[in-house]
Amino acid sequence: MTPSTTHKPGLLALSLAAIGVVYGDIGTSPLYAFREAMHAAGASHGGVRVEDVLGVLSLITWSLMIIVTFKYVALLMRADNQGEGGTLSLLALAERSLGGRRPLVLAMGLFGAALFYGDAALTPAVSVLSAVEGLSLVTTAFDPYILPISMAIIVGLFLVQARGTEAVARFFGPITLVWFLVIGLGGTMQIVAEPRVLEALNPWAAVQFLAGNGKLGLIVLGAVFLAVTGAEALYADMGHFGRKPIQLAWIFVALPALLLNYYGQGALVLADPAAMENPFFRVFPETLLLPVVILATAATIIASQAVISGAFSLTRQAIQLRLLPRMRIRHTSDAQEGQIFMPAVNQMLLVAVLVLVVTFGSSSALASAYGIAVTGTMVVTATLAMIVAHKHWGLSKTLAVALFAPLLALDLVFFGANLLKLFEGGWLPLGLAMLVVIVMTSWIKGTGVVLGKEAQGEMSLEKLIRHLGAKPLPQVPGTAVFLTSDPDYAPAALLHSLKHFKVLHEQNVILTIRTADIPRVAAEDRVQMVDLAPGFRQVTLTWGYAEEPDVPEGLALCRKLGWKFDIMSTSFILSRRSLRLSSRREIPAWMARLFILMARNSAPASDYFRIPAGRVVELGTQVNV
């Protein structure tokens, strides 16, 4: 068997899976993108101008070609952090190439990640609503139930998250592939009947439309951007499938199907302006309406699933990078490490989505809020990529700017166009993003204050060991593991244990857990161990920011280095902070209160690091913030 024949099945299988997970979001954009852009251009059921249709289609075409195909598929997917993509991966890569954390770069990364949460709340709301609204074309009897049906689907979607996506994911690829084939075929039938719509392939039609419409052109551009929402998923999900499967799925399946459907909608409204009511569903014969509505609903659920899973992954990365407090994480698959469930994130997203559906009531109203979240993320991505191209790829500053500045300028134009919808709902994702940024900033600053306060009462580990060598304490059998963030200083739990119990275990392990600025760390690089003195050893365990720390599993690797680790004879002695509001604060009172609230509700270290509860002893310490 040749190498090529052994490689192809795996590549095709990954490409099929990528179609389901990666392209679910952008694949459902035809449900509303063309309609909203034409409405912005002034089209109505009674009248549609040929130049508007061609201009809008040309804008959609070249947005897909420049932003998705060139920027993301061809260019940005090469800016990977050991195969991982996404805003926080790019942030980690930029910080590493700059030699440390820079406030401005961190601020951009935080804002980009925060905007993704806005996208994660908006995608299920607008996608599910737009699909269910198709029922009103089958029969008007469904009109009063559009909202309740949408809410029931959304609640069901979030309830099944706890079961994991492994079983459902098997159907994602095939269903989404059928979806792309159906929408491509529906569009092709209309193009054959009205071939003049293909004139929109000429980019001059887009230039003429923008030049001839002034501010209206910018408003339309904001709606056109709905066609490329979901492009960030290509980059964010790169670690799950790899670069090549995602590229193949886009070039040979997703892009042709999307273009055929958009052009089919344009051909239809040229032939029948009354179809502007809902051009996506009107592309299909009436006999196929109900099956297409059902298929569209399934496709939107898949699109929503992808962005919800993305929110879980992003949150785990943020926790590992110490941007958010620890939260409970459950693995839902033994085979796929990346499939996780986070109850707190799931609950908050569900509430946000339901509030959006009830508040806005229709997909058209929600569409105004949708673009700002995605365009803002794209601006951040292009800026960070410029830094990575210069510092990490080694391109000259001139070449890096020449490569990414035009793309950044285009993203800024789209962002500006979407800002025109600020008071029509666009404020919402910006407001959500600012809340997330405030939460992250409060956690970063509050953690800094606490670590600074604890450092004031610290004793160097070397000094403590010398002191214990000069004045030995009684020993008890077994091993004690003390967690510390700074291996040069004695852990607070060890000092409190000595102060209160005045005994020492036979074996004492000073354990530090590190998060690398790469997504995954190989098992052979996981552990470092140093013997400090008789009865004292220092262990450092390192995980990547896309991994979940498992302390017992990590310590088991120490057996190869000579320590016979036995969890049943080991006690993990942890320090549990009790935080109080100080009268002399280094941060504003509201920020201190928010930090204390988050700290009190964060997952215990024993849960987060997967330490068996029966082996944990906690000693309380009080810190003023």
Side-chain angles (χ1 to χ4, degrees):
M1 189 176 285
T2 64
S4 61
T5 55
T6 57
H7 180 62
K8 278 184 181 176
L11 182 61
L12 291 174
L14 283 171
S15 296
L16 180 62
I19 288 170
V21 176
V22 177
Y23 295 111
D25 192 357
I26 199 168
T28 53
S29 294
L31 282 162
Y32 46 80
F34 178 76
R35 180 191 70 201
E36 295 307 316
M38 287 301 296
H39 284 165
S44 64
H45 303 174
V48 173
R49 298 194 313 165
V50 176
E51 55 267 35
D52 288 346
V53 172
L54 296 180
V56 165
L57 284 177
S58 190
L59 285 169
I60 289 174
T61 302
W62 292 101
S63 296
L64 289 170
M65 295 304 294
I66 296 171
I67 293 178
V68 184
T69 309
F70 178 65
K71 178 186 173 185
Y72 281 94
V73 174
L75 200 58
L76 262 184
M77 290 190 74
R78 299 185 180 277
D80 65 297
N81 192 353
Q82 288 199 349
E84 287 285 328
T87 305
L88 289 183
S89 288
L90 198 58
L91 171 64
L93 204 59
E95 288 184 340
R96 188 166 78 221
S97 60
L98 288 169
R101 183 163 279 183
R102 304 291 175 87
L104 183 59
V105 174
L106 176 63
M108 284 192 295
L110 292 186
F111 191 62
L115 282 168
F116 181 84
Y117 286 106
D119 186 20
L122 283 161
T123 294
V126 71
S127 299
V128 173
L129 262 176
S130 60
V132 177
E133 283 167 356
L135 288 172
S136 61
L137 299 178
V138 179
T139 170
T140 53
F142 279 113
D143 285 0
Y145 306 107
I146 298 295
L147 225 54
I149 291 171
S150 299
M151 292 174 71
I153 290 171
I154 288 165
V155 170
L157 174 65
F158 279 92
L159 286 178
V160 299
Q161 295 301 313
R163 296 181 177 272
T165 59
E166 188 173 16
V168 186
R170 294 194 196 105
F171 302 100
F172 281 9
I175 290 174
T176 313
L177 179 60
V178 170
W179 166 257
F180 279 124
L181 292 174
V182 167
I183 66 172
L185 185 61
T188 302
M189 291 188 296
Q190 299 297 333
I191 295 169
V192 170
E194 195 72 40
R196 62 174 168 161
V197 77
L198 294 175
E199 293 173 23
L201 288 169
N202 186 345
W204 185 243
V207 173
Q208 282 184 310
F209 180 85
L210 290 176
N213 283 283
K215 184 182 176 181
L216 179 65
L218 272 181
I219 294 171
V220 173
L221 201 59
V224 163
F225 192 80
L226 294 170
V228 297
T229 55
E232 278 285 324
L234 279 74
Y235 186 40
D237 288 326
M238 182 164 50
H240 296 285
F241 304 102
R243 183 189 306 157
K244 190 168 284 187
I246 293 176
Q247 290 173 331
L248 288 176
W250 173 252
I251 292 167
F252 292 106
V253 178
L255 178 61
L258 289 170
L259 287 177
L260 285 171
N261 187 263
Y262 283 124
Y263 277 71
Q265 291 186 50
L268 176 65
V269 298
L270 284 178
D272 179 15
M276 270 309 306
E277 173 195 2
N278 202 322
F280 174 82
F281 286 109
R282 291 297 186 196
V283 159
F284 302 95
E286 284 192 23
T287 52
L288 294 178
L289 265 181
L290 188 56
V292 171
V293 169
I294 293 169
L295 181 62
T297 305
T300 56
I301 290 171
I302 291 170
S304 304
Q305 176 64 57
V307 81
I308 294 167
S309 300
F312 294 157
S313 298
L314 184 77
T315 305
R316 181 173 67 170
Q317 290 183 20
I319 292 168
Q320 286 290 74
L321 292 170
R322 292 180 170 82
L323 306 177
L324 284 174
R326 292 187 297 262
M327 299 182 202
R328 284 184 172 83
I329 299 173
R330 280 174 43 200
H331 278 272
T332 58
S333 169
D334 294 331
Q336 296 295 323
E337 187 271 338
Q339 291 188 12
I340 58 172
F341 171 66
M342 303 187 71
V345 177
N346 195 59
Q347 290 167 13
M348 286 186 283
L349 272 181
L350 172 58
V351 171
V353 173
L354 290 178
V355 168
L356 287 172
V357 169
V358 172
T359 305
F360 286 85
S362 73
S363 60
S364 289
L366 273 166
S368 297
Y370 201 13
I372 288 181
V374 187
T375 49
T377 307
M378 287 184 174
V379 167
V380 169
T381 303
T383 308
L384 291 176
M386 200 182 302
I387 297 169
V388 170
H390 173 47
K391 295 289 187 179
H392 187 68
W393 291 355
L395 300 182
S396 68
K397 191 178 291 186
T398 305
L399 186 56
V401 170
L403 190 60
F404 282 100
L407 296 172
L408 177 59
L410 183 61
D411 290 337
L412 286 168
V413 168
F414 274 117
F415 186 61
N418 277 280
L419 281 177
L420 295 174
K421 300 183 289 186
L422 187 63
F423 299 107
E424 300 170 31
W427 55 270
L428 187 74
L430 288 180
L432 283 172
M434 288 312 300
L435 280 175
V436 175
V437 168
I438 288 169
V439 166
M440 288 182 168
T441 305
S442 299
W443 184 255
I444 293 167
K445 288 186 175 295
T447 303
V449 169
V450 168
L451 292 177
K453 291 280 180 72
E454 288 184 340
Q456 293 171 8
E458 283 179 340
M459 176 188 294
S460 74
L461 189 56
E462 185 184 356
K463 182 178 178 182
L464 176 65
I465 291 173
R466 267 201 325 268
H467 178 74
L468 291 172
K471 295 182 178 180
L473 290 174
Q475 291 188 345
V476 294
T479 300
V481 176
F482 300 92
L483 266 69
T484 179
S485 59
D486 190 340
D488 294 330
Y489 289 88
L494 173 57
L495 294 175
H496 279 274
S497 176
L498 294 173
K499 177 182 176 183
H500 293 289
F501 304 132
K502 297 182 173 55
V503 293
L504 204 59
H505 283 73
E506 285 177 339
Q507 295 293 325
N508 298 275
V509 178
I510 311 302
L511 175 62
T512 303
I513 297 171
R514 299 276 191 216
T515 301
D517 58 3
I518 56 176
R520 290 174 184 82
V521 172
E524 56 268 24
D525 300 325
R526 174 90 64 222
V527 60
Q528 290 179 312
M529 190 172 77
V530 178
D531 288 327
L532 302 173
F536 275 92
R537 58 169 46 97
Q538 199 169 57
V539 175
T540 302
L541 297 177
T542 307
W543 277 273
Y545 62 78
E547 297 178 293
E548 182 181 352
D550 187 325
V551 166
E553 185 182 84
L555 291 179
L557 297 172
C558 292
R559 291 168 186 161
K560 295 179 181 178
L561 302 177
W563 173 30
K564 300 285 194 262
F565 169 70
D566 178 13
I567 196 166
M568 297 313 295
S569 62
T570 302
S571 297
F572 293 85
I573 303 179
L574 311 182
S575 176
R576 190 172 184 86
R577 300 186 188 107
S578 175
L579 303 177
R580 295 193 315 173
L581 198 64
S582 171
S583 56
R584 299 175 64 184
R585 291 179 295 272
E586 298 177 34
I587 56 176
W590 64 267
M591 187 176 282
R593 288 191 178 95
L594 179 56
F595 171 73
I596 292 170
L597 179 66
M598 287 190 287
R600 286 175 180 168
N601 288 281
S602 65
S606 55
D607 286 0
Y608 185 73
F609 295 125
R610 306 181 83 171
I611 303 170
R615 309 307 311 166
V616 174
V617 177
E618 290 188 338
L619 298 175
T621 59
Q622 200 168 77
V623 181
N624 293 324
V625 181

